[in-house]
Amino acid sequence: MPRSIWKGAISFGLVTIPIKLYSATEEKDVSFRQVHPEDGGRIKYRRVCEKCDQEIPFAEIAKGYETADGRMVILEKEDFDALPLTTTKSVEVVQFVAEDEVDPTYFAKTYFLEADGPGVKPYVLLRDALIQSGQSAVVKVALRSREAIALIRPKDGVLLMHTMLWPDELRDGAFAAPPAEVTVSEAEVDMARSFIDALSGEFDPSQFTDAYREAIEELVKSKLDGVELPVEAEAPEEAEVVDLVAALRASVEAAKKRREGAEEKKAM
């Protein structure tokens, strides 16, 4: 069982729900070491003070806040503990909204909420009330040395909490929008919708795999075993798209064949 990373309570009106917080995700990216290629030794970094050139142990490193005019303010643990935040050990419900009202761009990280001790019954109360009302709870919470807004929603009998970015942390993407004078025809849109229909279905994340991670693991194994990897044929270069309708029509046919092949493979 994973270890909880935070303990506190949800303030649901005058009802208090003691909870434990667990990370709901773990990244399984390929991990590399920085090494000296001649002998395989790991590269280490020294924490050195830029003023006195002395190496500073991690336990003696303090947090400093640099102001706009270049002055440095040293902050101690006691300073953080004394911050006047009501959310340091409390998850404060501030609003209820429909889940689809929140743009997924805001979501940062997902956590499991577990009822702690006497919190089981009020936990179930909040969970069932959210399910029946079709609402999610917008909350404020302080985690990892920062305050955040978050969304609590029920899923598979558990309450999930998605921490969210603040509005000023989202970049304006207007620069990426195509020029307004660029338009497409109804025939092109219809064919694009046909392609969407050909690939539409229920989302099943288990059918997807990380091909890059698998390829790296295979490469590492081949090097350990002293065996050359088989050379794969190069993919043919794609021709420049001139006729969007013709390209989409071909895409629809390819998608249909791929789906038929996948269904035949699943039936075997």
Side-chain angles (χ1 to χ4, degrees), residues 40-245:
R42 295 183 184 180
I43 303 300
K44 294 185 177 181
Y45 293 90
R46 298 169 61 227
R47 298 180 178 90
V48 178
C49 174
E50 65 176 357
K51 290 187 176 181
C52 64
D53 201 35
Q54 291 185 6
E55 186 171 358
I56 311 300
F58 181 77
E60 297 179 16
I61 297 177
K63 291 184 177 180
Y65 183 93
E66 187 173 3
T67 61
D69 58 8
R71 290 179 295 171
M72 188 68 70
V73 180
I74 307 301
L75 300 175
E76 308 289 346
K77 180 180 181 301
E78 294 75 16
D79 297 321
F80 292 100
D81 293 340
L83 285 174
L85 288 177
T86 59
T87 53
T88 51
K89 285 296 178 183
S90 173
V91 180
E92 178 189 358
V93 176
V94 295
Q95 189 181 14
F96 293 96
V97 299
E99 184 183 334
D100 58 7
E101 287 185 27
V102 181
D103 186 335
T105 310
Y106 280 98
F107 292 146
K109 191 168 176 57
T110 303
Y111 298 91
F112 293 125
L113 300 181
E114 179 190 37
D116 188 17
V120 174
K121 186 167 184 177
Y123 180 103
V124 172
L125 171 64
L126 175 58
R127 182 198 65 190
D128 291 357
L130 290 176
I131 292 173
Q132 292 185 26
S133 64
Q135 299 282 294
S136 297
V138 177
V139 302
K140 290 185 71 177
V141 60
L143 289 175
R144 303 187 185 280
S145 302
R146 62 169 291 175
E147 187 177 54
I149 51 175
L151 188 77
I152 293 179
R153 68 182 183 93
K155 182 178 184 294
D156 299 332
V158 177
L159 290 177
L160 297 181
M161 185 174 77
H162 305 281
T163 54
M164 298 162 62
L165 301 171
W166 293 103
D168 61 358
E169 293 179 311
L170 268 60
R171 294 174 175 170
D172 184 356
F175 70 92
E181 61 270 17
V182 177
T183 61
V184 293
S185 67
E186 283 295 324
E188 290 168 335
V189 174
D190 289 342
M191 191 55 65
R193 290 184 59 182
S194 297
F195 179 66
I196 292 172
D197 291 340
L199 288 182
S200 295
E202 293 185 5
F203 177 58
D204 178 11
S206 64
Q207 67 177 311
F208 303 104
T209 58
D210 186 345
Y212 177 77
R213 176 155 51 106
E214 292 173 353
I216 289 292
E217 290 171 350
E218 187 177 349
L219 172 62
V220 170
K221 186 177 184 302
S222 70
K223 282 186 171 290
L224 289 173
D225 296 341
V227 178
E228 290 287 335
L229 280 175
V231 179
E232 294 189 7
E234 292 186 7
E237 293 186 8
E238 295 184 2
E240 183 180 355
V241 175
V242 178
D243 186 340
L244 283 176
V245 174

